[in-house]
């Protein structure tokens, strides 16, 4: 009965210090957009988004740490099954950039070793408050052989592109692993919803 | 939240003009967010289903005690990955509330963790071609 409406399912995570705008990366700023007090009080656990790449319908299940990073409790369970990680810092916050190295170590310790990573320098619309140059972002990404992009969730710069590129990189990896076997999507890991209990923290949004 | 989502006093605010949206028991048209037009479900992906449920209002006056309304017309989605774009809230009891994935307007419905079935309220979304 249940007809499958997609080819592949990728689980993605957003990681980085508090306040770098991780939650906002998944939020479309627009004039008539709003968050109700009800939803913002409970908080959002994850989102499902659909992209089409090379004729394949791909479901992205995107998880936000929901403040767990504050307590350094991001461990193996959060990383389980993750195929892609967006590692986010804030270009106006030096400390969040320095911590990228720490997060990379955390990922190495806990995540699957072939997880696809991308570093995002967020809030790139705030040029007058910038403390981390784009070159420094590019350098650290090159040193770790990771993709890099500067983004602005607020001005909607590079957000779609970042997710598309990350998904494409995973798709390449998946295709390579399957040795060109056509229909491979049936075994994409499924992630159950009840993994985490409600954390009652509200969203800490940027500006 | 007391977790009781039965409708005791029915204050039905739903218009009853949904018949034209149903084709072979499913949604005839694309289901989008009322506010930002993000696509939630493609045609023919939700089963029409009637049940009473107290769904918190999308616009709340105060944060103290969420106001709810009795909603009874839903599109049922059995596999969450059928959704084109959707957000799942953190868990309240055995419920996760559904939101627009882009502007986070919601709740547009709910997800029952026991059955893993999602319910999209017809009166919280728009139906377009």
């Amino acid at each position: 009965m249940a007809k499958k409406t997609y080819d592949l399912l990728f689980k993605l995570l957003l990681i980085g210090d508090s306040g770098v705008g991780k939650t906002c990366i998944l939020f479309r700023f627009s004039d008539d957009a709003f968050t109700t007090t009800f939803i913002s009080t409970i908080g959002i656990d994850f989102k499902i988004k659909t992209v089409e790449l090379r004729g394949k319908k791909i479901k992205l299940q995107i998880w936000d740490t929901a403040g767990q990073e504050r307590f350094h409790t991001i461990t193996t369970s959060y990383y389980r099954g993750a195929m892609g990680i967006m590692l986010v810092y804030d270009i106006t916050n030096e400390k969040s950039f320095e911590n990228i190295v720490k997060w990379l170590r955390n990922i190495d310790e806990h995540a699957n070793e072939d997880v696809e990573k991308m570093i995002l320098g967020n809030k790139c619309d705030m040029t007058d408050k910038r403390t981390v140059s784009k070159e420094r972002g590019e350098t650290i990404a090159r040193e770790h052989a990771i993709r890099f992009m500067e983004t602005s969730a607020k001005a909607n710069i590079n957000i779609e592109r970042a997710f598309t590129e990350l998904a494409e990189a995973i798709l390449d990896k998946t295709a390579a692993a399957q040795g060109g076997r056509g229909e491979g999507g049936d075994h994409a890991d499924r992630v159950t919803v009840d993994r985490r209990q409600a954390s009652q923290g509200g969203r800490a949004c940027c500006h | 939240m007391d977790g009781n989502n039965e409708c005791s006093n029915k204050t039905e605010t739903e218009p009853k003009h949904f018949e034209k949206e149903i084709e072979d028991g499913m949604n005839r048209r694309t289901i989008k967010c009322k506010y930002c037009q993000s696509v939630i479900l493609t045609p023919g992906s939700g089963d029409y289903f009637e049940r009473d449920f107290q769904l918190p209002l999308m616009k709340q006056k105060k944060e103290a005690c969420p106001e709810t309304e009795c909603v009874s017309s839903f599109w049922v989605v059995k596999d969450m990955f059928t959704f084109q774009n959707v957000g799942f809230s953190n868990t309240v009891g055995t419920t996760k509330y559904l939101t627009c994935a882009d502007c986070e307007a919601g709740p547009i419905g709910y997800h029952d963790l026991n059955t893993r079935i999602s319910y999209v309220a017809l009166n919280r979304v728009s139906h377009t071609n």
Side-chain angles (χ1 to χ4, degrees):
Chain A
M1 158 85 209
K3 56 179 176 172
K4 205 151 146 293
T5 55
Y6 59 96
D7 300 307
L8 292 161
L9 169 61
F10 296 162
K11 178 187 172 184
L12 309 182
L13 307 180
L14 290 162
I15 304 267
D17 281 9
S18 302
V20 298
K22 292 189 297 296
T23 304
C24 306
I25 281 183
L26 288 180
F27 179 78
R28 183 197 284 163
F29 291 86
S30 76
D31 291 340
D32 46 0
F34 69 94
T35 44
T36 60
T37 50
F38 181 76
I39 292 295
S40 51
T41 303
I42 300 172
I44 292 187
D45 195 14
F46 65 88
K47 289 181 180 179
I48 293 169
K49 295 214 175 192
T50 306
V51 294
E52 219 166 303
L53 287 176
R54 297 182 210 142
K56 286 198 189 300
K57 211 166 205 193
I58 299 171
K59 299 280 172 180
L60 306 179
Q61 189 184 35
I62 310 166
W63 301 76
D64 190 350
T65 53
Q68 289 173 74
E69 73 277 4
R70 277 178 230 264
F71 313 108
H72 303 283
T73 51
I74 298 186
T75 52
T76 311
S77 65
Y78 181 71
Y79 287 112
R80 191 164 293 137
M83 300 156 88
I85 294 174
M86 290 291 195
L87 191 46
V88 191
Y89 70 88
D90 170 0
I91 66 148
T92 71
N93 178 344
E94 176 71 29
K95 187 79 190 150
S96 73
F97 178 71
E98 286 166 12
N99 281 339
I100 287 289
V101 179
K102 280 190 194 164
W103 285 117
L104 282 168
R105 257 202 310 271
N106 193 266
I107 292 167
D108 280 344
E109 267 170 49
H110 297 291
N112 198 332
E113 66 180 80
D114 67 351
V115 69
E116 198 62 44
K117 288 163 283 202
M118 182 181 258
I119 296 175
L120 300 183
N122 196 33
K123 306 194 189 174
C124 72
D125 57 300
M126 296 172 71
T127 43
D128 52 333
K129 294 210 173 103
R130 178 193 285 272
T131 57
V132 182
S133 71
K134 193 176 177 186
E135 290 68 32
R136 289 173 69 199
E138 285 167 344
T139 303
I140 199 168
R142 202 177 324 114
E143 282 169 7
H144 292 88
I146 303 174
R147 286 172 179 72
F148 169 76
M149 225 177 258
E150 282 200 341
T151 54
S152 164
K154 203 176 175 197
N156 197 18
I157 299 166
N158 278 346
I159 300 292
E160 296 254 342
R161 212 180 121 214
F163 279 99
T164 308
E165 276 203 16
L166 187 63
E168 252 176 347
I170 299 168
L171 183 59
D172 284 340
K173 208 170 255 180
T174 314
Q178 283 164 358
R181 217 158 29 88
E183 285 295 312
D186 288 46
H187 307 292
D189 20 337
R190 297 221 164 185
V191 182
T192 49
V193 185
D194 47 1
R195 189 171 55 79
R196 284 193 276 159
Q197 282 305 305
S199 63
Q200 289 296 332
R203 56 187 285 163
C205 198
C206 56
H207 338 287
Chain B
M1 300 295 296
D2 56 5
N4 180 11
N5 296 109
E6 304 278 307
C7 298
S8 47
N9 57 329
K10 277 203 176 193
T11 49
E12 191 76 47
T13 55
E14 291 179 73
K16 283 290 179 193
H17 57 260
F18 292 135
E19 287 80 6
K20 67 179 192 307
E21 298 299 341
I22 306 165
E23 193 171 80
D24 300 330
M26 305 189 92
N27 58 309
R28 186 171 68 80
R29 300 196 288 174
T30 303
I31 293 167
K32 290 185 184 173
C33 170
K34 272 184 180 177
Y35 300 91
C36 76
Q37 302 302 308
S38 172
V39 175
I40 299 161
L41 288 167
T42 51
S45 51
D47 290 298
Y48 183 76
F49 186 73
E50 288 184 4
R51 82 177 304 176
D52 289 345
F53 190 85
Q54 286 287 355
L55 199 59
L57 295 178
M58 293 176 80
K59 284 179 180 160
Q60 298 281 342
K61 283 182 196 126
K62 279 182 189 156
E63 289 183 48
C65 180
E67 280 185 279
T68 62
E69 68 173 342
C70 184
V71 177
S72 53
S73 300
F74 293 95
W75 297 117
V76 169
V77 177
K78 295 201 179 80
D79 175 359
M80 67 166 77
F81 297 107
T82 301
F83 284 103
Q84 285 293 297
N85 300 288
V86 76
F88 282 71
S89 79
N90 285 318
T91 305
V92 179
T94 58
T95 303
K96 279 181 175 291
Y97 292 97
L98 305 178
T99 73
C100 168
D102 288 317
C103 75
E104 298 181 2
I108 56 167
Y110 68 100
H111 174 87
D112 183 339
L113 282 172
N114 292 328
T115 59
R116 309 214 165 178
I117 293 174
S118 303
Y119 300 84
V120 176
L122 272 77
N123 67 344
R124 300 280 177 98
V125 292
S126 75
H127 300 78
T128 58
N129 287 316

